[in-house]
Amino acid sequence: MDPEAFLELANQVTKLKMYPYFDVAHCIITCLYLRDDLAGGSHVFSRKHPLACWFSTMLSIFAGSLLANFLLGEPVLAPFKTNNQLLLATAVWYFMFYSPFDVAYKVCKFLPVKLVFAALKEVQRCKKVHDGVMHAAKIYPNGYLIMIIIGAIKGNGSAFLKIFERLMRGIWTPTAIEFMQTSFSTKACIAASVIFVLEKKTDFISAPHALVYFGIVIFFVYFKLSSMLLGIHDPFLPFENLFCALFMGGIWDALSRAISSAKGESSPAKMDASKDGRMDAGRKKD
């Protein structure tokens, strides 16, 4: 592809409007995750507790903005002020849970359709990460860590509020804290936030902003589709294992276990040798 044409394509991607198509994809994928989390009880729960079902769904859909506003000291309920987005999310929720014969859920669950919505959601995820970093940079111009945190939360807020979202449905799972079991989406959002911070605040990345943004979009979309089609759930895992082995005590723990194992094997051998020696001495006396 011609470099100028590629740069123009990247510029067009940065200018994409999220409403309504990308927002619809985000709402649909969120509802699919919620229904999968409810497993076989989604039908019964949505009929018995429609208000709790709606509230937990809205909490997941707007989780990134809600949590980011709370951390930045801004109005927490501000994401609900846009009536169009709230009505859109409510409409998607209704069709995903209450459509006749569950046709909306079955269509969206169909793999080719789900792939399209998942790809659109990843494009929106990149936009959220970027907007989160830029918004935090305006409030804390030198707070690089804050920019990274807000970018990651904006990009994958539903994971951080999963414990509260389940609590709205009467389920208490304290082990669902994202910091204890960090998902690939959160790791990818952290990496994207770091790249945006380096691009905006340092000279480490000199490429045009459109190319950087487009590259992160491709990264998000590629690995999301790879996880759905090929089962590649966490490409960061080998690097994490290597890092933990080198710098988080992995080598020393392995060495300690090896030494303990060697001592454990040598002790029975010594006991057997001393026992044989005593038996030989007894025979000589006889």
Side-chain angles (χ1 to χ4, degrees), residues 197-211:
V197 170
L198 292 176
E199 180 212 354
K200 293 295 183 181
K201 296 295 181 178
T202 67
D203 297 328
F204 287 102
I205 299 178
S206 59
H209 169 70
L211 291 181

PDB file of all heavy atoms in Angstrom, residues 197-211:
ATOM      1  N   VAL A 197       1.057   7.657  26.337  1.00  0.00           N
ATOM      2  CA  VAL A 197       1.779   8.585  27.212  1.00  0.00           C
ATOM      3  C   VAL A 197       3.164   8.877  26.652  1.00  0.00           C
ATOM      4  O   VAL A 197       3.617  10.036  26.627  1.00  0.00           O
ATOM      5  CB  VAL A 197       1.871   8.007  28.636  1.00  0.00           C
ATOM      6  CG1 VAL A 197       2.822   8.834  29.494  1.00  0.00           C
ATOM      7  CG2 VAL A 197       0.494   7.975  29.285  1.00  0.00           C
ATOM      8  N   LEU A 198       3.853   7.834  26.198  1.00  0.00           N
ATOM      9  CA  LEU A 198       5.179   8.036  25.612  1.00  0.00           C
ATOM     10  C   LEU A 198       5.106   8.905  24.368  1.00  0.00           C
ATOM     11  O   LEU A 198       5.997   9.720  24.114  1.00  0.00           O
ATOM     12  CB  LEU A 198       5.813   6.684  25.284  1.00  0.00           C
ATOM     13  CG  LEU A 198       6.197   5.796  26.468  1.00  0.00           C
ATOM     14  CD1 LEU A 198       6.731   4.460  25.978  1.00  0.00           C
ATOM     15  CD2 LEU A 198       7.232   6.484  27.345  1.00  0.00           C
ATOM     16  N   GLU A 199       4.038   8.719  23.595  1.00  0.00           N
ATOM     17  CA  GLU A 199       3.904   9.502  22.366  1.00  0.00           C
ATOM     18  C   GLU A 199       3.640  10.974  22.666  1.00  0.00           C
ATOM     19  O   GLU A 199       4.214  11.868  22.038  1.00  0.00           O
ATOM     20  CB  GLU A 199       2.760   8.935  21.528  1.00  0.00           C
ATOM     21  CG  GLU A 199       2.552   9.675  20.229  1.00  0.00           C
ATOM     22  CD  GLU A 199       1.104   9.697  19.778  1.00  0.00           C
ATOM     23  OE1 GLU A 199       0.272   9.044  20.428  1.00  0.00           O
ATOM     24  OE2 GLU A 199       0.817  10.390  18.788  1.00  0.00           O
ATOM     25  N   LYS A 200       2.769  11.244  23.656  1.00  0.00           N
ATOM     26  CA  LYS A 200       2.342  12.617  23.930  1.00  0.00           C
ATOM     27  C   LYS A 200       3.321  13.378  24.803  1.00  0.00           C
ATOM     28  O   LYS A 200       3.485  14.598  24.648  1.00  0.00           O
ATOM     29  CB  LYS A 200       0.959  12.604  24.596  1.00  0.00           C
ATOM     30  CG  LYS A 200      -0.160  12.125  23.688  1.00  0.00           C
ATOM     31  CD  LYS A 200      -0.367  13.075  22.520  1.00  0.00           C
ATOM     32  CE  LYS A 200      -1.538  12.621  21.647  1.00  0.00           C
ATOM     33  NZ  LYS A 200      -1.749  13.530  20.486  1.00  0.00           N
ATOM     34  N   LYS A 201       3.966  12.690  25.733  1.00  0.00           N
ATOM     35  CA  LYS A 201       4.740  13.386  26.753  1.00  0.00           C
ATOM     36  C   LYS A 201       6.254  13.230  26.612  1.00  0.00           C
ATOM     37  O   LYS A 201       7.006  13.898  27.325  1.00  0.00           O
ATOM     38  CB  LYS A 201       4.322  12.878  28.139  1.00  0.00           C
ATOM     39  CG  LYS A 201       2.870  13.195  28.488  1.00  0.00           C
ATOM     40  CD  LYS A 201       2.661  14.690  28.599  1.00  0.00           C
ATOM     41  CE  LYS A 201       1.232  15.042  28.981  1.00  0.00           C
ATOM     42  NZ  LYS A 201       1.034  16.502  29.139  1.00  0.00           N
ATOM     43  N   THR A 202       6.708  12.363  25.755  1.00  0.00           N
ATOM     44  CA  THR A 202       8.151  12.146  25.604  1.00  0.00           C
ATOM     45  C   THR A 202       8.506  12.155  24.119  1.00  0.00           C
ATOM     46  O   THR A 202       7.648  12.307  23.248  1.00  0.00           O
ATOM     47  CB  THR A 202       8.570  10.809  26.239  1.00  0.00           C
ATOM     48  OG1 THR A 202       7.999   9.727  25.477  1.00  0.00           O
ATOM     49  CG2 THR A 202       8.107  10.710  27.681  1.00  0.00           C
ATOM     50  N   ASP A 203       9.796  11.966  23.864  1.00  0.00           N
ATOM     51  CA  ASP A 203      10.292  11.919  22.485  1.00  0.00           C
ATOM     52  C   ASP A 203      10.649  10.503  22.054  1.00  0.00           C
ATOM     53  O   ASP A 203      11.327  10.311  21.040  1.00  0.00           O
ATOM     54  CB  ASP A 203      11.529  12.820  22.351  1.00  0.00           C
ATOM     55  CG  ASP A 203      11.196  14.284  22.621  1.00  0.00           C
ATOM     56  OD1 ASP A 203      10.068  14.686  22.311  1.00  0.00           O
ATOM     57  OD2 ASP A 203      12.065  15.009  23.152  1.00  0.00           O
ATOM     58  N   PHE A 204      10.212   9.505  22.828  1.00  0.00           N
ATOM     59  CA  PHE A 204      10.569   8.125  22.489  1.00  0.00           C
ATOM     60  C   PHE A 204       9.872   7.655  21.216  1.00  0.00           C
ATOM     61  O   PHE A 204      10.384   6.800  20.501  1.00  0.00           O
ATOM     62  CB  PHE A 204      10.211   7.188  23.645  1.00  0.00           C
ATOM     63  CG  PHE A 204      11.124   7.311  24.821  1.00  0.00           C
ATOM     64  CD1 PHE A 204      10.726   8.009  25.942  1.00  0.00           C
ATOM     65  CD2 PHE A 204      12.383   6.749  24.811  1.00  0.00           C
ATOM     66  CE1 PHE A 204      11.565   8.133  27.036  1.00  0.00           C
ATOM     67  CE2 PHE A 204      13.230   6.862  25.896  1.00  0.00           C
ATOM     68  CZ  PHE A 204      12.828   7.568  27.013  1.00  0.00           C
ATOM     69  N   ILE A 205       8.678   8.182  20.951  1.00  0.00           N
ATOM     70  CA  ILE A 205       7.925   7.787  19.757  1.00  0.00           C
ATOM     71  C   ILE A 205       7.770   9.023  18.879  1.00  0.00           C
ATOM     72  O   ILE A 205       7.109   9.997  19.262  1.00  0.00           O
ATOM     73  CB  ILE A 205       6.547   7.222  20.139  1.00  0.00           C
ATOM     74  CG1 ILE A 205       6.714   5.983  21.021  1.00  0.00           C
ATOM     75  CG2 ILE A 205       5.752   6.879  18.893  1.00  0.00           C
ATOM     76  CD1 ILE A 205       5.399   5.385  21.490  1.00  0.00           C
ATOM     77  N   SER A 206       8.375   8.969  17.723  1.00  0.00           N
ATOM     78  CA  SER A 206       8.349  10.119  16.806  1.00  0.00           C
ATOM     79  C   SER A 206       7.418   9.909  15.621  1.00  0.00           C
ATOM     80  O   SER A 206       7.327  10.776  14.754  1.00  0.00           O
ATOM     81  CB  SER A 206       9.764  10.413  16.302  1.00  0.00           C
ATOM     82  OG  SER A 206      10.301   9.274  15.637  1.00  0.00           O
ATOM     83  N   ALA A 207       6.752   8.772  15.562  1.00  0.00           N
ATOM     84  CA  ALA A 207       5.841   8.495  14.449  1.00  0.00           C
ATOM     85  C   ALA A 207       4.612   9.393  14.530  1.00  0.00           C
ATOM     86  O   ALA A 207       4.260   9.880  15.603  1.00  0.00           O
ATOM     87  CB  ALA A 207       5.428   7.029  14.472  1.00  0.00           C
ATOM     88  N   PRO A 208       3.941   9.637  13.410  1.00  0.00           N
ATOM     89  CA  PRO A 208       2.697  10.424  13.440  1.00  0.00           C
ATOM     90  C   PRO A 208       1.660   9.793  14.358  1.00  0.00           C
ATOM     91  O   PRO A 208       1.577   8.564  14.477  1.00  0.00           O
ATOM     92  CB  PRO A 208       2.237  10.418  11.979  1.00  0.00           C
ATOM     93  CG  PRO A 208       3.476  10.159  11.190  1.00  0.00           C
ATOM     94  CD  PRO A 208       4.326   9.263  12.030  1.00  0.00           C
ATOM     95  N   HIS A 209       0.880  10.645  14.978  1.00  0.00           N
ATOM     96  CA  HIS A 209      -0.123  10.148  15.929  1.00  0.00           C
ATOM     97  C   HIS A 209      -1.095   9.183  15.258  1.00  0.00           C
ATOM     98  O   HIS A 209      -1.490   8.170  15.859  1.00  0.00           O
ATOM     99  CB  HIS A 209      -0.893  11.329  16.526  1.00  0.00           C
ATOM    100  CG  HIS A 209      -2.108  10.915  17.297  1.00  0.00           C
ATOM    101  ND1 HIS A 209      -2.033  10.251  18.512  1.00  0.00           N
ATOM    102  CD2 HIS A 209      -3.445  11.039  17.009  1.00  0.00           C
ATOM    103  CE1 HIS A 209      -3.262   9.995  18.940  1.00  0.00           C
ATOM    104  NE2 HIS A 209      -4.136  10.464  18.065  1.00  0.00           N
ATOM    105  N   ALA A 210      -1.481   9.459  14.040  1.00  0.00           N
ATOM    106  CA  ALA A 210      -2.446   8.597  13.352  1.00  0.00           C
ATOM    107  C   ALA A 210      -1.909   7.181  13.187  1.00  0.00           C
ATOM    108  O   ALA A 210      -2.651   6.204  13.350  1.00  0.00           O
ATOM    109  CB  ALA A 210      -2.795   9.193  11.985  1.00  0.00           C
ATOM    110  N   LEU A 211      -0.618   7.050  12.895  1.00  0.00           N
ATOM    111  CA  LEU A 211      -0.028   5.723  12.730  1.00  0.00           C
ATOM    112  C   LEU A 211       0.040   4.981  14.059  1.00  0.00           C
ATOM    113  O   LEU A 211      -0.207   3.770  14.120  1.00  0.00           O
ATOM    114  CB  LEU A 211       1.372   5.846  12.119  1.00  0.00           C
ATOM    115  CG  LEU A 211       1.447   6.309  10.670  1.00  0.00           C
ATOM    116  CD1 LEU A 211       2.896   6.363  10.197  1.00  0.00           C
ATOM    117  CD2 LEU A 211       0.639   5.382   9.762  1.00  0.00           C
TER     118      LEU A 211
END
